[in-house]
């Protein structure tokens, strides 16, 4: 690929990240020339070598300064795209990307300014979607819808446009939910994406249609929601609270293996799986992982104690409850669970 851009092609003139490997040949030739010049034998060779070495050190010094400056530019997305906009003030891509960077930081006024400037330079559907997103965050739903509709006119085959239109209709309330469903289904017809199924599931859940919500959330989980773990948590908790235990099991297992978790998250999944009696071993593993990350985490001790008690491992349950009460003295629920386990162990009726 012509990434060195000796002859500029396309909108992007030079992309730093493409230069490292593609410049190896040039630097190899420069090094060969440098050592060839150092190896010259002549009556001026000693003087020439000193000049050459001095020039080499000067070049290294300049490159070090330039590298430091580029590190400051690459500090975050805003600094990167501000630098690009400063160099190419009318190029639509840097303007759009700077607007997007501000949007992701919640700086909607700045985001709107650069998104609009990008459209003034070149009307692209992505710019209208970004402006629609900004207005939607401001709850200016009519302007958001107008921007999405403009994006749809430019790019009628882009699923994200219809998904976002569906979100606007959802936010407008129950009277517009029928149109929200139509837009979500239209988006899914163009691209089967986990986020679109998840939004459809939220709509059905809000309507009280839990069977169709289960189907939509299941599709989202099967398609892999990925790093959007808030969505996966919601789906897992929905399955559990509505009694869809097999779906809950799959979602919680997906969560447990999806990304590094703290003790609280592991414990939360453990409690969820504990309600599916056939997988108590999974819950035990998660509670123990939570305690390995945070040994005095009381909720994990309590969950492990409840699990042990339910499975008849009363001595281990009592030990967990006692340790939890030591860390959280006077807790009524822990006290009751301990008393119940002790009574059951001694053969007395549980109180």
């Amino acid at each position: 690929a012509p990434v060195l851009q000796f002859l500029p092609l396309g909108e992007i003139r030079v992309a730093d990240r493409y230069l490292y490997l593609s410049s190896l040949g040039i630097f190899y030739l420069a090094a060969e020339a440098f050592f060839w010049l150092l190896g010259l034998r002549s009556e001026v060779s000693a003087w020439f070598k000193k000049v050459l070495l001095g020039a080499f050190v000067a070049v290294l010094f300049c490159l070090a300064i330039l590298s430091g400056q580029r590190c400051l530019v690459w500090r975050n997305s805003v600094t990167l795209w501000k630098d690009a906009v400063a160099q190419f003030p009318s190029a639509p891509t840097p303007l759009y990307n700077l607007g997007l960077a501000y949007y992701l930081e919640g700086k909607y006024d700045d985001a709107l300014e650069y998104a609009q400037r990008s459209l003034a330079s070149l009307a692209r559907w992505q710019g209208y979607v970004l402006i629609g997103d900004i207005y939607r965050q401001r709850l200016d739903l009519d302007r958001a819808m107008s921007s999405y509709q403009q994006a749809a006119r430019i790019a009628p085959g882009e699923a994200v446009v219809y998904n976002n239109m569906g979100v606007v209709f959802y936010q407008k309330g129950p009277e517009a939910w029928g149109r929200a469903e139509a837009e979500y289904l239209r988006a899914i017809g163009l691209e089967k994406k986990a986020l679109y199924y998840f939004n459809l599931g939220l709509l059905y859940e809000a309507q009280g249609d839990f069977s169709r919500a289960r189907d939509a959330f299941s599709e989202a989980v099967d398609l892999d929601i990925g790093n959007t773990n808030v969505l996966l948590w919601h789906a897992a908790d929905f399955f559990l609270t509505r009694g869809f235990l097999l779906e809950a099991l799959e979602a919680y297992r997906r969560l447990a293996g999806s990304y590094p978790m703290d003790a609280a998250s592991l414990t939360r999944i453990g409690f969820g799986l504990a309600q599916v009696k056939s997988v108590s071993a999974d819950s035990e593993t998660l509670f123990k992982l939570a305690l390995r990350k945070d040994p005095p985490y009381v909720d994990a001790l309590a969950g492990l104690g409840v699990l042990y008690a339910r499975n008849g491992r009363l001595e281990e349950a009592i030990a967990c409850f006692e340790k939890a009460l030591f860390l959280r003295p006077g807790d009524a629920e822990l006290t009751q669970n301990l008393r119940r386990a002790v009574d059951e162990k001694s053969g007395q009726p549980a109180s």
Side-chain angles (χ1 to χ4, degrees):
V3 295
L4 289 179
Q5 295 283 45
F6 289 131
L7 298 175
L9 298 174
E11 182 186 328
I12 299 176
R13 296 295 179 263
V14 178
D16 292 6
R17 63 188 183 279
Y18 293 145
L19 294 180
Y20 307 119
L21 290 177
S22 58
S23 298
L24 286 177
I26 293 175
F27 284 114
Y28 172 77
L29 293 175
E32 286 287 348
F34 176 77
F35 284 109
W36 179 78
L37 290 172
L38 281 181
L40 289 177
R41 297 182 179 277
S42 69
E43 55 188 35
V44 295
S45 62
W47 172 85
F48 180 74
K49 288 178 181 179
K50 290 180 181 179
V51 173
L52 190 62
L53 287 172
F56 177 71
V57 171
V59 168
L60 285 182
F61 181 74
C62 292
L63 290 176
I65 293 175
L66 291 173
S67 296
Q69 291 175 341
R70 296 309 294 171
C71 286
L72 293 176
V73 167
W74 280 82
R75 184 173 56 204
N76 56 51
S77 295
V78 170
T79 57
L80 173 65
W81 293 111
K82 282 181 73 173
D83 178 75
V85 168
Q87 297 183 57
F88 306 101
S90 61
T93 296
L95 289 167
Y96 168 82
N97 286 335
L98 181 55
L100 179 61
Y102 278 129
Y103 172 79
L104 294 175
E105 290 189 354
K107 299 177 180 178
Y108 300 131
D109 290 340
D110 293 326
L112 184 60
E113 174 190 347
Y114 286 100
Q116 289 174 335
R117 284 178 58 184
S118 75
L119 288 180
S121 179
L122 177 63
R124 298 192 297 190
W125 68 270
Q126 295 95 331
Y128 285 107
V129 169
L130 177 56
I131 290 175
D133 291 344
I134 295 167
Y135 284 133
R136 183 163 54 83
Q137 291 297 330
R138 290 175 163 181
L139 298 181
D140 190 344
L141 300 182
D142 289 335
R143 285 188 177 182
M145 181 60 68
S146 176
S147 294
Y148 293 143
Q149 288 171 341
Q150 184 63 35
R153 282 191 284 271
I154 296 173
E158 292 295 335
V160 65
V161 177
Y162 304 106
N163 173 75
N164 292 9
M165 290 169 68
V167 173
V168 170
F169 285 127
Y170 177 82
Q171 289 179 286
K172 285 189 173 185
E175 69 281 357
W177 283 354
R179 299 184 69 182
E181 180 184 12
E183 296 300 341
Y184 289 146
L185 291 173
R186 188 174 182 181
I188 289 169
L190 290 168
E191 180 183 6
K192 295 187 183 302
K193 191 172 181 180
L195 177 62
Y196 307 156
Y197 277 108
F198 181 83
N199 286 339
L200 185 61
L202 285 179
L203 174 63
Y204 290 145
E205 183 183 3
Q207 291 175 325
D209 191 342
F210 301 129
S211 178
R212 288 206 290 177
R214 175 196 60 189
D215 293 341
F217 286 142
S218 295
E219 289 286 351
V221 172
D222 290 342
L223 287 169
D224 185 13
I225 294 177
N227 292 327
T228 318
N229 293 305
V230 173
L231 309 187
L232 191 51
W233 276 116
H234 182 94
D237 291 343
F238 167 82
F239 292 142
L240 187 63
T241 56
R242 296 299 168 185
F244 304 124
L245 297 184
L246 291 178
E247 291 85 352
L249 174 60
E250 173 62 25
Y252 281 123
R253 280 179 168 167
R254 187 76 62 87
L255 273 168
S258 64
Y259 66 110
M261 293 192 179
D262 58 14
S265 299
L266 290 166
T267 301
R268 180 178 171 186
I269 298 175
F271 275 115
L273 290 179
Q275 298 186 50
V276 187
K277 294 184 178 181
S278 61
V279 292
S280 59
D282 289 0
S283 297
E284 181 178 352
T285 299
L286 289 167
F287 288 138
K288 288 180 175 179
L289 282 174
L291 291 171
R292 191 179 304 167
K293 288 179 175 287
D294 186 2
Y297 192 66
V298 173
D299 289 341
L301 284 167
L304 196 57
V306 170
L307 191 65
Y308 285 150
R310 191 178 74 185
N311 292 333
R313 299 161 63 178
L314 297 174
E315 289 187 4
E316 294 169 283
I318 291 169
C320 286
F321 292 138
E322 287 177 340
K323 187 173 181 180
L325 274 169
F326 175 79
L327 295 167
R328 191 186 289 169
D331 185 279
E333 185 176 357
L334 288 172
T335 302
Q336 183 180 13
N337 286 338
L338 176 60
R339 185 181 300 116
R340 185 180 293 116
V342 170
D343 290 346
E344 188 174 345
K345 185 174 182 293
S346 63
Q348 300 178 15
S351 56

